[in-house]
Amino acid sequence: MIAITLLKIKPNKKDFKMAIKATAVLFIKLGSKGDYERECIEKEGTIKLDYRQIPHELCLSNNWDKVSEFVAMEYNTNKASTTSHRNQIKRFYTEPKTTMWITFYDCKLWYCFAEEEILLDESSRTKSRKTVDGWRSVDNQNNSLFIQALSGKLTKVQGFRGTICDVKEKEYLLNKINNTQHPDVKNVETNLVSLKLSLEKIIQLLSPQDFEVFVDLIFRSSGWSRVGSAGNTIKTLDIELLAPVTGERAIVQVKSQSNLSLFKEYEERLNIEGYDRAFYVTHTPDKKLSDHINTMDKNNSIQVWDAEKLADLSVNAGLIEWLVSTVG
């Protein structure tokens, strides 16, 4: 008989990474306009709450009825809004260390877990919690969690008008972080990211005339009808649109290249009575304008589209062949 020796191979602890788990996932807006994003993520390693008028002591003592009274008094809210604000504050104070907090900053999704101790800044009256191990913006293979590579079902939470809310796509997010997606799904997402990056470059090669046609086609695919060139009646504005179903009217400024000062100049002109929405579209903003776009309030009356946004829209609108044939 031949003796067979079975070798027990111990896994290399350095190569083994535990799956990240969370009992809940919450989105937190770090400041009403992202004012605290940089200091919380890059400097302090904290999550921060900006309800500075609400007494810290009441929250620590779990006197939530009294907190509701302060919310209604300080913010002049109705019953439903008062309850919503109170619940957001309560979650900040009571969520355990096993809750994952996420936010969006610098074109990436960031996540962390937070210590349960609540700290009060006596000068600003803001409340904060230290992160357990800092903020992270990569999956367990150190791949960056770029917003454009994530499902819109997840990233739409950025539009939440309050401070804290539940993230419904918990399972999807944890799969992304732990790299436990189906291989075919991962391949499609990887290829889609590569496609969109290539489309951004193609869009930037469009001539000013073709770029305006391209923008017009995107709006048409979304149900808007072009009723004329706004520039005929309003100097410097390019496209005037109508949504036949809702009756909304919109104006669009199209600039192939733009800087921040040029955008600011047009910003005043885009706030014109008689129009429900305004768009500023540019495929090549300079760095200052790009930084400004990234920090703009999502509820701003003017929507700014850059090459990244246009690449997303071109895929949804089925304009890939048009772009390739026009540039090629």
Side-chain angles (χ1 to χ4, degrees), residues 270-292:
L270 288 172
N271 287 308
I272 300 172
E273 292 185 8
Y275 292 94
D276 303 290
R277 304 174 70 178
F279 298 86
Y280 188 87
V281 185
T282 176
H283 64 54
T284 309
D286 70 356
K287 186 178 185 308
K288 287 185 178 180
L289 179 53
S290 292
D291 292 342
H292 181 72

Side-chain angles (χ1 to χ4, degrees), residues 11 115 313:
E115 301 288 356
L313 293 171

Side-chain angles (χ1 to χ4, degrees), residues 46-309:
T46 60
I47 60 175
K48 186 167 289 189
L49 188 70
D50 200 18
Y51 285 89
R52 58 190 69 195
Q53 293 91 341
I54 307 304
H56 178 54
E57 298 74 17
L58 288 180
C59 300
L60 288 179
S61 62
N62 291 314
N63 194 341
W64 301 113
D65 289 338
K66 198 68 176 177
V67 168
S68 292
E69 292 179 16
F70 266 89
V71 168
M73 178 178 62
E74 293 292 339
Y75 301 106
N76 191 29
T77 53
N78 59 30
K79 185 176 181 180
S81 294
T82 297
T83 300
S84 176
H85 286 294
R86 182 209 57 201
N87 289 344
Q88 291 175 66
I89 298 169
K90 183 178 180 180
R91 301 202 77 170
F92 185 87
Y93 273 82
T94 61
E95 287 293 324
K97 287 172 64 174
T98 53
T99 293
M100 175 183 287
W101 300 83
I102 72 167
T103 197
F104 299 88
Y105 167 68
D106 194 27
C107 301
K108 300 174 187 175
L109 178 143
W110 295 76
Y111 64 93
C112 72
F113 294 88
E115 301 288 356
E116 294 179 4
E117 181 184 9
I118 314 296
L119 305 173
L120 174 68
D121 186 314
E122 294 290 352
S123 59
S124 68
R125 305 302 297 174
T126 57
K127 295 86 174 172
S128 64
R129 293 173 61 171
K130 285 285 186 181
T131 59
V132 173
D133 194 25
W135 285 92
R136 298 179 184 179
S137 61
V138 295
D139 63 20
N140 68 353
Q141 298 298 316
N142 288 321
N143 300 307
S144 293
L145 296 169
F146 289 112
I147 294 174
Q148 67 184 55
L150 300 173
S151 168
K153 291 182 179 180
L154 172 63
T155 59
K156 71 179 182 181
V157 76
Q158 296 177 90
F160 178 62
R161 294 190 176 186
T163 302
I164 295 170
C165 70
D166 284 296
V167 174
K168 295 180 180 179
E169 301 299 317
K170 171 188 172 184
E171 183 177 355
Y172 166 80
L173 174 61
L174 293 177
N175 282 337
K176 287 291 291 186
I177 292 173
N178 292 312
N179 269 290
T180 52
Q181 291 173 292
H182 190 284
D184 289 337
V185 174
K186 290 179 67 175
N187 286 337
V188 170
E189 289 193 344
T190 300
N191 291 333
L192 185 58
V193 171
S194 178
L195 171 63
K196 289 180 179 179
L197 290 173
S198 297
L199 287 173
E200 288 181 35
K201 295 178 181 178
I202 291 177
I203 290 169
Q204 291 173 331
L205 293 175
L206 291 170
S207 68
Q209 294 78 14
D210 287 335
F211 184 51
E212 183 171 332
V213 172
F214 169 62
V215 173
D216 186 27
L217 289 172
I218 285 179
F219 278 107
R220 287 177 184 273
S221 72
S222 301
W224 291 91
S225 297
R226 185 168 183 169
V227 295
S229 295
N232 292 337
T233 55
I234 307 171
K235 188 178 180 182
T236 72
L237 300 181
D238 294 327
I239 302 174
E240 185 177 6
L241 301 169
L242 174 68
V245 175
T246 64
E248 286 184 287
R249 295 172 65 84
I251 48 176
V252 184
Q253 173 60 51
V254 182
K255 297 292 292 184
S256 297
Q257 299 182 2
S258 181
N259 55 40
L260 181 57
S261 60
L262 189 59
F263 168 71
K264 289 291 186 181
E265 179 184 335
Y266 282 97
E267 192 171 23
E268 295 181 6
R269 296 173 181 158
L270 288 172
N271 287 308
I272 300 172
E273 292 185 8
Y275 292 94
D276 303 290
R277 304 174 70 178
F279 298 86
Y280 188 87
V281 185
T282 176
H283 64 54
T284 309
D286 70 356
K287 186 178 185 308
K288 287 185 178 180
L289 179 53
S290 292
D291 292 342
H292 181 72
I293 294 171
N294 291 332
T295 58
M296 283 181 68
D297 187 346
K298 300 296 187 244
N299 298 314
N300 193 294
S301 59
I302 301 173
Q303 293 188 38
V304 183
W305 292 356
D306 56 10
E308 180 182 331
K309 175 69 173 179

